[in-house]
Amino acid sequence: MSTPIKILIVEDEMIIAANISLQLSTLGYDVIGIVPRTEDALSSVKQNQPDIVLMDINLKGDIDGIETVKLIKEIQDVAVIYLTANADEVHFNRAKSTDPHAFISKPFKKLDLQRAIELVEQRIQKNKNNELKPVDSTSGASPFMLSDCIFVKHNETMVKVHISDILYIEAERNYCRIYSKDKEYLLVMTLKDMDEKLPSKHFLRVHRSFIVSLSQINEIATSHIVIAKKAIPVSKSLKEELLKRLQTI
């Protein structure tokens, strides 16, 4: 990448955090901060927009690392690597619902950290490259919608995607990606614009980064839903609306 990956460390054990920071700096990464508390993490994300957050699951206080990540993702859809000395099933399932990029169990070696960061960096770069590729609707052709289907540009042709086949739609900066039952379609359109075009009877924006098909929801948890084995976060402000809408289906 042209510029170093920016990493925020959220860890309340300062000796551990300082050691991690030193290791990352020697590997060429830009450590933009070491913070011990949720409020500091939220402030740093707003100000510095890190590429990766290294998050200790067991933060001291009322809000642990998992809940902190949920709040962070309300601000920025940042890559998260969890650090944990407690890898039991309950913590793992809670953490998994926040769609992290990796887990590292404490104590860990420098090589463990390096490999995890490299894999996440590769994934970030791949996503950025996908955004820049002239694929699907990059010619500027907008999808157009009928009552039961959407026509989207795919490989230089307009393809019909049935409403009933759409699982969910995810924001990717100024793009959005439609996940259907058998294919994906990348569109040059913001999630906000897509939300305005979709029939509200079938779809609901449940998070700043996700629109879901209400009929495709398989599970409902406290802070997320599951569609086709994908855990999708639900904003607290939209949870009540989601439950109301599900009652009318």
Side-chain angles (χ1 to χ4, degrees), residues 232-249:
I232 297 172
V234 177
S235 301
K236 289 182 180 179
S237 59
L238 295 170
K239 182 67 177 293
E240 185 177 350
E241 176 65 18
L242 171 64
L243 295 177
K244 286 182 180 178
R245 293 286 300 280
L246 288 174
Q247 291 175 1
T248 63
I249 295 179

Side-chain angles (χ1 to χ4, degrees), residues 39-243:
E39 55 267 32
D40 299 324
L42 297 176
S43 177
S44 184
V45 168
K46 288 178 181 178
Q47 293 177 10
N48 301 305
Q49 297 185 328
D51 298 298
I52 298 173
V53 173
L54 286 179
M55 175 65 67
D56 178 26
I57 285 182
N58 299 307
L59 290 180
K60 297 181 178 70
D62 296 332
I63 303 178
D64 67 5
I66 299 170
E67 294 301 319
T68 300
V69 167
K70 293 176 183 177
L71 295 173
I72 285 174
K73 291 203 171 187
E74 293 286 336
I75 301 170
Q76 179 186 338
D77 191 17
V78 63
V80 173
I81 298 176
Y82 280 117
L83 310 174
T84 179
N86 187 357
D88 62 59
E89 194 72 15
V90 173
H91 281 83
F92 177 77
N93 286 332
R94 284 184 59 227
K96 187 170 66 173
S97 73
T98 63
D99 196 23
H101 283 55
F103 286 81
I104 303 178
S105 296
K106 296 179 182 179
F108 54 85
K109 299 177 182 178
K110 181 179 180 180
L111 185 60
D112 297 331
L113 180 64
Q114 180 180 351
R115 285 176 174 171
I117 296 287
E118 286 179 356
L119 288 172
V120 174
E121 183 179 6
Q122 183 182 53
R123 183 170 163 185
I124 291 172
Q125 186 60 51
K126 182 178 179 181
N127 288 340
K128 287 184 177 180
N129 289 340
N130 285 338
E131 291 174 1
L132 297 174
K133 286 180 181 178
V135 294
D136 298 343
S137 62
T138 51
S139 66
S142 298
F144 62 90
M145 305 187 185
L146 303 178
S147 60
D148 63 344
C149 64
I150 304 174
F151 281 86
V152 299
K153 189 168 184 184
H154 183 65
N155 296 333
E156 304 305 320
T157 62
M158 297 301 287
V159 178
K160 179 191 287 188
V161 181
H162 288 281
I163 293 289
S164 59
D165 288 338
I166 295 175
L167 302 174
Y168 59 92
I169 303 168
E170 183 174 6
E172 295 186 12
R173 298 182 186 271
N174 291 326
Y175 296 72
C176 61
R177 188 179 297 274
I178 295 177
Y179 290 84
S180 70
K181 292 180 179 178
D182 57 354
K183 289 184 180 179
E184 299 176 16
Y185 303 92
L186 183 65
L187 308 179
V188 179
M189 174 179 284
T190 64
L191 198 69
K192 179 178 181 294
D193 289 339
M194 177 61 76
D195 188 28
E196 292 174 352
K197 289 179 175 291
L198 286 169
S200 58
K201 176 181 177 181
H202 301 286
F203 296 92
L204 178 67
R205 188 169 183 174
V206 296
H207 185 269
R208 64 188 298 271
S209 298
F210 289 94
I211 295 172
V212 302
S213 171
L214 296 169
S215 64
Q216 300 292 344
I217 296 174
N218 304 123
E219 299 177 26
I220 303 174
T222 303
S223 60
H224 72 278
I225 58 178
V226 176
I227 297 179
K229 298 183 179 180
K230 166 74 173 179
I232 297 172
V234 177
S235 301
K236 289 182 180 179
S237 59
L238 295 170
K239 182 67 177 293
E240 185 177 350
E241 176 65 18
L242 171 64
L243 295 177

Side-chain angles (χ1 to χ4, degrees), residues 3-28:
T3 57
I5 284 285
K6 296 190 296 182
I7 300 176
L8 173 66
I9 301 171
V10 186
E11 167 66 70
D12 54 18
E13 296 289 344
M14 286 297 103
I15 294 177
I16 294 175
N19 183 47
I20 293 172
S21 178
L22 179 61
Q23 291 180 27
L24 293 175
S25 296
T26 60
L27 290 171

